[in-house]
Amino acid sequence: MGGLTITVITSKASSLNYGETIGNVSVLKKLSRGDGSQLTFVSDKALKYEIRRKGKEEKGWKLLDEKLKEYIEGNLKGSELDVDAFGKALVKDYHEFDLFGGLFTNLKTDKKVKLSYGDSVKRTCPVKVTYAFSVSEFSGDLNFLNNIDAYNRYIKHVEDKPEQAIANSEEHQSHYIYTLAVDLNRAGGWEKEDGSYEDVLSKEEKAKRVLDLLDIVMTLSRQIKGRWESLSPVFVVGGVFSSKHPFFMEGVEAQEEKGKLRLNVARLRECAELVPEQNKVVVGVLSGTFINESELRNAFSVKTIKEAFEELKKQVREYYGVSQV
C-alpha cells in the first residue's frame, strides 16, 4: 500500500479560470471566506484538462475518444458487455481512463447494451487533484476591452455589426496552491465486481505513467483567452508514503509581502511530523521566491525544483521496484 502526494505553490499567474459571463463582464471563479475576503481559484477540472492536454502533446497519452464503441463491440458476449474485460482494456490502452477514471451509463452500439454486472461501468480515479486557490486576495480589478482595431480593419466590412464590441473582464494575478495525490496501488489495475484487484499493466508501465505525470506537473501551464500562463512550481513538498493521505494539503500556507512570499514554516514542519516516513519528505524551492527562505532551509533539507522532482521520481521507481523507465 502506498501513495504519492505533493502540494505545490505555482508561479505567479493571471486570471486562470473564468465562470459565467454576466452582461459583458467575464467573471473569475471565486470563493468567499468567513472574513469577507475572496480568493480566486482554478477548478480541479481545469487543472486535469491541462494535465491531460500536456500528456497527449508531450507524452503520447491516449485520451478517451469515439473508438470506445469498438471496445464495447469487442467485449460483447451476445448482447451482454463483459464489464471486467471492457474496463481492463480501457485501463491498458487509455491513459486518461487509467489515471483519471470515468463513468459510463446507457452504453450502446446499434442498441442499448446490457452489462454483465451493475448498472454502469465506473472507475475511481487514482489521481486526485484539489482546486488551486490563490495566495493573494481578489480586489475586484477589471480590464476594459474592445475590438476597435479588428472592427475598423475587417469586422464592419464582413459582419452585420454597426459598432465595435465592448467588454470587461475581472483580473487577478497571484501564486496558487494545490495538492495532487496518486493511489499507486490503483494505477494500472482494475477492481472487479467482487472487490478483488487485478494488475493490468506491468510495473514498468505503471511507473512510467506516474513518472510522466510528475514531468507534466513540473512544467504545467494553462492556455486561456489567447495567453500562456505558467503553473510551474516555485515550491513543492511531498513524497511517496505508506499512508495514502494528502499530508501537506493544509500545511502549505503563504502570504505575499513586497513581491515575494512568506511561508509558514512552523505549520509546514508540524504537518511533516505526521508523515510515517519523515525521512522521505521532499522539499523543493525556486531560489529567491521566499522572504524567509533561510528559515525554510534551516528546518528542512531543501532541494531545487528539478532535484525535488527527481527525488520524487526515484521514490516512485523504488515503490514499483524498477530501476529505470
Side-chain angles (χ1 to χ4, degrees):
M1 301 290 286
L4 164 69
T5 181
I6 58 173
T7 296
V8 167
I9 301 179
T10 74
S11 302
K12 186 176 286 188
S14 299
S15 308
L16 293 175
N17 209 175
Y18 286 94
E20 185 176 359
T21 298
I22 300 176
N24 68 341
V25 179
S26 295
V27 179
L28 286 170
K29 292 182 181 290
K30 299 182 288 292
L31 184 72
S32 297
R33 298 190 292 182
D35 60 2
S37 63
Q38 291 183 319
L39 300 179
T40 58
F41 68 84
V42 188
S43 71
D44 59 324
K45 283 78 175 174
L47 287 174
K48 289 178 182 178
Y49 172 84
E50 299 296 351
I51 291 171
R52 292 195 301 266
R53 174 186 60 79
K54 283 180 68 72
K56 180 180 179 180
E57 293 175 356
E58 300 177 4
K59 301 296 183 179
W61 282 7
K62 189 173 180 182
L63 307 185
L64 295 169
D65 55 23
E66 73 280 359
K67 292 185 178 180
L68 259 63
K69 187 174 181 180
E70 298 175 12
Y71 284 76
I72 296 172
E73 294 170 344
N75 289 285
L76 286 175
K77 295 181 178 178
S79 62
E80 187 176 82
L81 177 67
D82 185 330
V83 171
D84 288 332
F86 177 64
K88 287 188 287 186
L90 295 189
V91 168
K92 178 177 180 293
D93 293 341
Y94 286 95
H95 300 73
E96 178 180 7
F97 187 73
D98 178 27
L99 296 177
F100 296 101
L103 173 66
F104 303 101
T105 59
N106 300 320
L107 291 171
K108 63 181 181 179
T109 52
D110 295 329
K111 58 183 179 180
K112 186 174 180 179
V113 173
K114 296 180 181 179
L115 305 181
S116 59
Y117 65 83
D119 57 4
S120 63
V121 178
K122 56 186 176 182
R123 174 172 177 77
T124 301
C125 55
V127 178
K128 293 181 172 59
V129 185
T130 67
Y131 285 15
F133 287 103
S134 64
V135 171
S136 61
E137 298 176 3
F138 176 68
S139 299
D141 294 313
L142 285 171
N143 183 18
F144 177 80
L145 306 168
N146 67 69
N147 66 340
I148 184 63
D149 177 56
Y151 178 80
N152 286 336
R153 285 188 291 110
Y154 58 85
I155 291 176
K156 68 180 178 181
H157 301 293
V158 298
E159 297 184 23
D160 185 22
K161 293 183 177 179
E163 56 188 20
Q164 62 177 299
I166 302 295
N168 286 278
S169 64
E170 291 186 331
E171 300 289 340
H172 186 215
Q173 187 179 68
S174 177
H175 297 275
Y176 288 79
I177 301 175
Y178 72 93
T179 295
L180 180 145
V182 185
D183 186 334
L184 297 176
N185 299 96
R186 189 178 294 274
W190 177 253
E191 187 174 336
K192 297 190 288 187
E193 179 186 18
D194 59 7
S196 61
Y197 192 77
E198 181 178 341
D199 283 330
V200 175
L201 304 176
S202 67
K203 60 184 181 180
E204 288 80 11
E205 180 59 26
K206 288 183 178 184
K208 183 179 184 307
R209 291 187 177 184
V210 178
L211 296 177
D212 285 348
L213 178 66
L214 286 172
D215 283 341
I216 290 166
V217 170
M218 186 170 63
T219 59
L220 190 61
S221 60
R222 177 96 164 114
Q223 295 184 29
I224 182 169
K225 291 185 178 291
R227 294 179 279 111
W228 281 94
E229 295 289 342
S230 173
L231 296 179
S232 293
V234 297
F235 174 84
V236 61
V237 58
V240 175
F241 309 120
S242 58
S243 178
K244 300 175 185 177
H245 183 73
F247 288 100
F248 301 100
M249 187 165 69
E250 296 297 328
V252 177
E253 181 184 61
Q255 59 186 13
E256 193 167 358
E257 295 181 14
K258 299 179 180 178
K260 290 190 176 184
L261 294 176
R262 180 178 296 277
L263 189 69
N264 189 333
V265 176
R267 184 180 183 125
L268 182 65
R269 190 189 306 112
E270 289 181 14
C271 285
E273 291 173 354
L274 300 176
V275 179
E277 301 89 355
Q278 293 186 29
N279 63 316
K280 296 181 71 176
V281 174
V282 179
V283 177
V285 173
L286 180 66
S287 296
T289 300
F290 297 99
I291 291 176
N292 59 335
E293 185 175 322
S294 59
E295 180 188 2
L296 178 62
R297 292 186 180 277
N298 289 333
F300 294 92
S301 176
V302 175
K303 303 178 182 296
T304 67
I305 296 296
K306 177 69 173 179
E307 290 170 345
F309 274 87
E310 288 302 320
E311 178 61 27
L312 291 168
K313 291 164 72 173
K314 177 183 175 183
Q315 292 184 12
V316 170
R317 292 190 190 97
E318 290 175 348
Y319 178 84
Y320 284 116
V322 298
S323 54
Q324 292 295 327
V325 178

